[in-house]
Amino acid sequence: IVAGILTKWGRTGLGEYAQRLQEQYTTRRDAMMEAFFEALGPIPAGTQPPAEFVTPRAGMFVWLKVNLPASAPASTTMKLLHARLVERSVLVIPGELFLAARQAARSERLLAAFAAGERFPDATAPEVEAVPYFRLSFSFASLALMKEAMGVLAEVLREFGCGGEAVEVAAQ
């Protein structure tokens, strides 16, 4: 594929395309984050927002760190949050799916099951410690749809009581 693109566009053409794509992704990333913070509204001084973005320097995804309420088990809250967002047609990917340790444990369990002669072992990944992150994509949805989804996301996070807890402010 790359050889075909280089033949058709040349190195300069590929570089120009990559530059345009980078600019588009930067615009879309910034629009998604802006829409989220606009939907949240002002955050009272001394409190945490319901969530915070980990701003990527490249790529087509952002990581959203959810500031979970301390009053409920984190893993349960993340599962319920995910289910509620999907119910509201906002697709986010739970951060735990990207844990290398989770996948390694799954692989070890499958290898042991096959070595023991099991023909159809349980292929689900084991439970892991809660990961308070969602991965969001800004590469596909229209800007209007992203804005709507960020409004729903902010609403659901507040519904679940995320953020709001006092944050320790360092003396200056």
Side-chain angles (χ1 to χ4, degrees):
I1 294 174
V2 173
I5 291 172
L6 285 172
T7 301
K8 184 174 181 177
W9 291 351
R11 291 180 73 156
T12 303
L14 181 59
E16 290 169 354
Y17 171 75
Q19 180 65 38
R20 284 191 311 274
L21 192 59
Q22 181 183 21
E23 291 166 4
Q24 290 172 10
Y25 278 0
T26 299
T27 298
R28 296 176 67 72
R29 178 203 65 202
D30 293 350
M32 175 185 267
M33 293 170 63
E34 242 177 69
F36 178 72
F37 290 116
E38 184 180 300
L40 279 180
I43 305 297
T47 63
Q48 289 184 320
E52 304 165 60
F53 281 103
V54 177
T55 307
R57 292 179 51 198
M60 57 187 164
F61 303 103
V62 294
W63 286 97
L64 184 74
K65 180 184 182 289
V66 180
N67 294 318
L68 297 167
S71 60
S75 60
T76 303
T77 303
M78 286 302 290
K79 286 177 184 169
L80 292 171
L81 267 170
H82 182 252
R84 182 76 172 119
L85 288 165
V86 170
E87 179 183 292
R88 299 277 308 270
S89 299
V90 176
L91 302 179
V92 296
I93 308 297
E96 72 178 40
L97 296 178
F98 298 93
L99 277 181
R102 181 176 195 256
Q103 295 308 320
R106 176 180 179 265
S107 296
E108 286 175 20
R109 190 173 69 205
L110 285 173
L111 287 172
F114 285 128
E118 289 183 45
R119 288 186 61 196
F120 302 103
D122 178 12
T124 58
E127 289 295 318
V128 293
E129 186 177 318
V131 178
Y133 288 87
F134 287 123
R135 189 176 86 164
L136 289 69
S137 172
F138 52 81
S139 65
F140 183 71
S142 70
L143 295 178
L145 193 57
M146 271 198 288
K147 184 172 183 168
E148 181 182 341
M150 292 300 97
V152 170
L153 177 60
E155 183 183 318
V156 169
L157 290 171
R158 287 202 191 268
E159 174 186 321
F160 275 76
C162 297
E165 298 165 358
V167 189
E168 190 173 312
V169 179
Q172 296 190 5

